[in-house]
Amino acid sequence: MTSITNEQALEAAIEKALTGHCREEWDPTEENDSIAQDRSEPLYRTGNGFYIGYPEDFDKKYAIDTVRFWSFLENSQPDELNKLRRYSDWKLRILERLDRTLRTYGLLRVLRKGIDVDDAHFTLFYQLPLASSGDTVKANFGKNQFSETRQLRYSQAQPGQEIDMVLFVNGLPLATLELKNAWTGQTARAHGQRQYKTDRDITQPLLQFGRCLVHFAADTDEVYMTTRLNGKDTFFLPFNKGNNYGKGNPPNPQGGHRTAYLWQEILTRQSLANIIQHFVWFSGKEKDKLETRILYFPRYHQLDVVRRLMADVEERGAGHTYLIQHSAGSGKHSMTDPCLDSSSAVSDLTG
């Protein structure tokens, strides 16, 4: 692959890590180039198991990747779909119910509980199995279709607006990413955050509160996140490891980008599923208006320490005592702190 020193290079690195391929390697003139030919199975289960998504497959009104959404339902729940095929507008019925549920309760409810359409029930995300889970649970998780799409045009009002990358599961958006590269003199903190605050149309479905779990501004050195885009008042929190008891990230021991942990550790299928199931949550009650609630997404340190503790408990059993050292600003505050609009200290560690 040709060496590129702009944000396209960072996009390509993430795409290749997630899918096993990147567009810079495509050769559409070659008849045997499977990357250029096929957008489905041959590209799956390579890299970290993501599909390569296509911007033209994105439905701006419903904020879904239509190819992945319908493919997931057809391959995982054909009998439920058959209950609705008697209607000429069966697809529209599903999309309208999905949209109403998302507007009322947000994406997390849809991922955890699915949706009901007439007498059909659709599961829209299969949970990550435990080591003790049965074969059916393990097989169902494999039916999930994780995907990433670059340069996604999301706005009905401003068709030219693009987001650098969006991650989906079964066609539903999990995360957006604005990417910068220090080689161009642009950073996530100064330029990535500014794009979200001033250049992105937050009235569009993809960027409305609760329709997507998290928004990342990342460059080769640092990562920031938010769960609520609010124009110039958007509040970002660091999603960094820390370096020498300070801010930022340490050098990558493998010699790559300092932020490679984001796509190598956090944005894998298994990690995202674990976050959906155990870490992300809404404040308040479901009957409360969505815009009045707070969506909590874990900081890096919170994820890391809980996962380390859980791994140790699985290996050594319960009953041990642990001392957890926090650095300033690492996200150790009470999960009820009203100032922490994008962090969470919760997990299933204590049951």
Side-chain angles (χ1 to χ4, degrees), residues 78 127 139 158 162 165 257 260:
Q127 292 197 353
Q158 303 179 60
E162 296 179 339
M165 184 174 287
H257 300 313

Side-chain angles (χ1 to χ4, degrees), residues 46 49 76 105 124 131 147-148 161 171 234 255 282 287 292 341:
T46 59
S76 64
Y105 302 108
L124 295 179
S147 62
E148 62 77 31
Q161 278 206 3
T234 301
F282 270 106
K287 65 180 181 180
T292 67
D341 199 22

Side-chain angles (χ1 to χ4, degrees), residues 60-63 95-110 115 156 202-206 208-212 282 286 288-293:
K60 300 174 184 178
K61 178 180 178 181
Y62 297 105
L95 291 177
E96 290 292 338
R97 176 58 57 86
L98 172 66
D99 188 61
R100 286 197 298 272
T101 307
L102 288 168
R103 290 179 184 276
T104 304
Y105 302 108
L107 177 65
L108 196 58
R109 153 78 176 259
V110 166
I115 57 172
Q156 302 171 87
I202 61 175
T203 67
Q204 296 301 305
L206 176 64
Q208 289 172 1
F209 177 65
R211 295 289 289 256
C212 189
F282 270 106
E286 281 193 345
D288 297 336
K289 289 185 177 180
L290 184 62
E291 59 270 20
T292 67
R293 303 176 73 186

Side-chain angles (χ1 to χ4, degrees), residues 198-255:
T198 63
D199 299 338
R200 296 295 170 250
D201 184 356
I202 61 175
T203 67
Q204 296 301 305
L206 176 64
L207 301 185
Q208 289 172 1
F209 177 65
R211 295 289 289 256
C212 189
L213 297 183
V214 65
H215 307 280
F216 289 110
D219 59 33
T220 54
D221 294 326
E222 292 190 309
V223 183
Y224 295 87
M225 70 170 195
T226 187
T227 60
R228 186 192 296 268
L229 295 176
N230 191 28
K232 62 181 178 61
D233 295 323
T234 301
F235 180 66
F236 282 89
L237 285 166
F239 195 82
N240 297 316
K241 289 185 170 185
N243 186 20
N244 290 326
Y245 303 101
K247 63 181 181 179
N249 287 299
N252 188 327
Q254 280 74 48

